[in-house]
Amino acid sequence: MNEKLSIDSASNKMIDKAEKENIELVWDRLKKMMPQCGFGTLGICCSICNMGPCSIDPFSDEKSKGVCGADADLIVARNLARKVAAGSAAHSDHGREIALALLEMAEDKTIDFKISDEEKTRKLASEFGIKTEKVDLKSITKALAVKMLSEFGKYEGNLTMANRAPAHQKEVWKRLDIMPRSIDREIVEILHRTNMGVDSNYKSVLLSAMRTALSDGWGGSMIATELTDSIVGSPAPVRAKVNLGVLKKEMVNIVVHGHEPLLTEAVYQEMKNPELISEAKAAGAQGINVAGICCTANEVLMRHGIPVAGNFLQQELALLTGAVEVMMVDVQCVMPSLSDIAGCFHTEIITTSHKAKFPDIVKHIEFQPSKAKAVAREIIRRAINNFNKREKSRVFIPDETMDLVAGFTTENVKYLLGGTFRGSYRPLNEAIVSGRIKGIAGVVGCNNPKVVHDFEHVSLVKELIKNDILVIQTGCSAIACAKAGLLRPEASIESAGPGLREVCEATGLPPVLHFGSCVDNSRILTAAVELINEGKIGKSFDELPVAGAAPECWMSEKAVAIGCYFVASGVYTVMGMPFPILGSKNVENFLCSEIESLTGGKFAFEPDPLKAAAMIIAHINNKRKKLGLKS
Ligand code: SF4
Ligand code: MSK
């Protein structure tokens, strides 16, 4: 067994199975790709125009330049900015799909969804200047959908939800001219600026990239989070299970994977359909089992306790069990290799998004809100039909599962801390002031086969909670720590420092709070606003004793955008692997030092999770000192 590829024994067992069956996995392809391109790693390769591609010689004494005269600083900055644009586009386009679904609901074009959280919908509408008193919900919903959609293309003012930021942050953004104006505009503008022969100043390229990222965090992602709560319901703490052992030998297994929540919601509703359950039983199965991968998993986990089969690097491994009848995928983080692996088994990959298709051999059943339940039924029926095509002798599901509690949000943390009558962040702020909790870290992000699967996430988070730092998580990082048992309330007794343990025992909270999917990093921003509004621990993000981290090497361009909107919002953010910027000392210096004097936040890059934890602890202690709080 190759223990080194993952700290998760279930994953290692499946990697061994792949080796025995001669099935190629992401780790094998990475090995074949070595050595990876040094120019790409350093960010000094440019193919923006057709006079290139140009690459800068990192060892040259003279200042090497591309054919147009662009130097390393400009090339590196432009490449990074384009990653921010792509990452922001992914999150924001996800948000747009949810807003379009809201509009379809309001126009009676779909009856498969209805507003599940009326209170939140009305509150959001008020925030957007929509009259809500004595107005029926359908009219409010329509007006809200139109307002939300206009956030993507408005031509004056700034993003409405950017007004949620603390006064100091807004003042900084205005002074630096990085207040996000509209979502599509910021993405388009950064692509324009980084076109050949437009913005030749690396600092202004980087600051504009920050504005694009802010339009993601305080725009597209926030819209996705808020409207998903409105339509599908706001999460509440829920117990569930995680890891490949949640797949069931006797059941029809459907794995949902990707990011968008609406079709999965319909699958969740239809898996309880008695007619479909009878059909599954008639096929010889005991029932229908739905489990998730990546952030579609996080969405349906948070709201319904649907089990999670794994995180990003486990998508191929789930298929290797030979027990998955259908893997239903939507958008983002879906490896093109899935169709090859599914081809070794009876598994059917079904693509469902009009913007994410596989080569023709893969079945495509397109989701539209107007036919969500019909599509869900069709997919479930295909899974039932596949059940008897399993090669039983090749089925192997590892036993590993772990309990977890998920479903925390900015809003429900208030209630969990003080109930209906005293719900507020005050107990949390008081715990921080007294030093029982030293500070809060948002630990998020992807897996990357370049490092040992899950190791950095789990090691960093364990070290932080041991040092009385409350951890908030999203995405694949949350799934990694869930598998390690850190999302159980008991983890406070087993692994937290004495102060954090006391708070967790008093409130029943785990020391690591699962806040949702990648777009739900916007919940971390709004929770930080609540901390500031409660008082005594800082008036702006950069004064709070908080930090951000993406420890296991960011993988997706979305992680670059997330990191940038954290830093642009004033948060110290430690990434497990550097961005491809090390080909420019100036860009590195700007992002890791100089920018702190502008936005209040900055990046650090540290692959060793214990060193990263020490850096975060030192940062939090420093902020506490400045606030006059004891270390
Ligand atoms: Fe080369 Fe400049 Fe064209 Fe980039 S934009 S490919 S550096 S000539
Ligand atoms: S799924 S973006 S690998 S966290 Fe959101 Fe995981 Fe990163 Fe995709």
Side-chain angles (χ1 to χ4, degrees), residues 309-593:
N311 50 11
F312 176 71
L313 281 181
Q314 289 178 288
Q315 57 187 288
E316 296 181 324
L317 308 182
L319 300 184
L320 273 163
T321 60
V324 176
E325 275 62 60
V326 159
M327 183 179 269
M328 178 188 107
V329 302
D330 51 79
V331 294
Q332 301 166 22
C333 304
V334 176
M335 289 191 199
S337 65
L338 292 180
S339 57
D340 296 335
I341 297 178
C344 303
F345 297 91
H346 72 303
T347 309
E348 195 171 22
I349 303 290
I350 300 181
T351 53
T352 59
S353 166
H354 61 95
K355 60 187 93 155
K357 295 178 183 170
F358 271 49
D360 287 346
I361 187 172
V362 168
K363 181 77 185 162
H364 181 75
I365 306 177
E366 199 153 299
F367 163 72
Q368 282 161 16
S370 59
K371 50 176 192 173
K373 288 193 177 169
V375 168
R377 282 194 294 275
E378 189 182 345
I379 290 171
I380 293 172
R381 284 208 164 95
R382 290 187 81 94
I384 293 169
N385 285 338
N386 286 342
F387 181 72
N388 279 314
K389 296 180 194 159
R390 270 190 204 174
E391 269 185 81
K392 292 201 174 65
S393 60
R394 289 178 72 203
V395 170
F396 171 70
I397 303 173
D399 294 333
E400 285 85 344
T401 64
M402 178 55 78
D403 294 324
L404 69 105
V405 178
F408 297 97
T409 65
T410 304
E411 296 87 346
N412 72 25
V413 163
K414 269 189 201 173
Y415 171 77
L416 295 166
L417 289 171
T420 312
F421 294 110
R422 288 168 196 259
S424 82
Y425 274 61
R426 184 162 302 167
L428 185 51
N429 282 38
E430 281 172 356
I432 293 172
V433 170
S434 70
R436 279 174 296 155
I437 293 179
K438 294 279 186 278
I440 300 177
V443 182
V444 307
C446 315
N447 296 137
N448 189 320
K450 290 178 178 175
V451 295
V452 177
H453 174 224
D454 289 349
F455 171 71
E456 269 89 349
H457 293 302
V458 173
S459 308
L460 174 70
V461 169
K462 274 190 175 168
E463 190 65 13
L464 292 176
I465 62 175
K466 192 174 104 187
N467 284 279
D468 293 317
I469 292 173
L470 177 69
V471 173
I472 297 179
Q473 293 211 276
T474 63
C476 290
S477 187
I479 299 173
C481 291
K483 285 186 283 170
L486 298 175
L487 272 60
R488 297 168 303 137
E490 305 88 286
S492 67
I493 299 166
E494 297 156 2
S495 311
L500 177 59
R501 173 181 169 166
E502 188 189 324
V503 175
C504 290
E505 283 179 331
T507 57
L509 293 175
V512 181
L513 302 181
H514 189 316
F515 255 49
S517 64
C518 297
V519 291
D520 292 333
N521 284 313
S522 65
R523 296 191 201 274
I524 300 181
L525 299 178
T526 50
V529 172
E530 293 287 347
L531 292 171
I532 290 165
N533 290 345
E534 190 53 54
K536 296 189 186 159
I537 56 168
K539 292 191 175 67
S540 56
F541 279 30
D542 52 307
E543 286 182 4
L544 287 174
V546 302
E552 187 176 317
C553 301
W554 59 280
M555 176 280 297
S556 166
E557 288 163 320
K558 292 176 289 171
V560 184
I562 295 165
C564 286
Y565 72 65
F566 269 57
V567 166
S569 298
V571 180
Y572 174 62
T573 302
V574 183
M575 309 293 289
M577 183 182 270
F579 293 142
I581 58 166
L582 300 187
S584 162
K585 281 267 162 273
N586 284 333
V587 170
E588 185 188 356
N589 181 55
F590 184 80
L591 293 175
C592 297
S593 170

Side-chain angles (χ1 to χ4, degrees), residues 459-464 467 469 547 549 572 574 604 606 608-622:
S459 308
L460 174 70
V461 169
K462 274 190 175 168
E463 190 65 13
L464 292 176
N467 284 279
I469 292 173
Y572 174 62
V574 183
E606 177 50 63
D608 180 329
L610 295 185
K611 284 187 188 159
M615 288 155 71
I616 290 170
I617 294 163
H619 170 82
I620 283 176
N621 282 335
N622 186 31

Side-chain angles (χ1 to χ4, degrees), residues 18 78 114 143 155 174 178 209 221 264 299 434 441 489 526 578:
R78 287 194 307 209
K114 60 176 176 49
Y155 58 90
K174 278 183 189 146
I178 60 169
S221 281
T264 302
E299 298 279 4
S434 70
T526 50

Side-chain angles (χ1 to χ4, degrees), residues 45-56 65-71 75 78 194-197:
C45 174
C46 180
S47 58
I48 281 173
C49 90
N50 202 30
M51 291 192 286
C54 303
S55 40
I56 299 295
K65 290 187 175 173
V67 177
C68 67
D71 60 11
I75 289 173
R78 287 194 307 209
T194 55
N195 214 246
M196 190 269 150

Side-chain angles (χ1 to χ4, degrees), residues 56-105:
I56 299 295
D57 179 355
F59 305 110
S60 154
D61 286 342
E62 320 156 23
K63 207 163 176 191
S64 161
K65 290 187 175 173
V67 177
C68 67
D71 60 11
D73 299 339
L74 183 59
I75 289 173
V76 166
R78 287 194 307 209
N79 287 339
L80 187 77
R82 285 182 165 225
K83 286 195 185 305
V84 173
S88 301
H91 280 151
S92 301
D93 212 33
H94 166 169
R96 189 198 322 263
E97 292 291 345
I98 312 283
L100 285 167
L102 189 76
L103 186 63
E104 285 197 34
M105 282 166 51

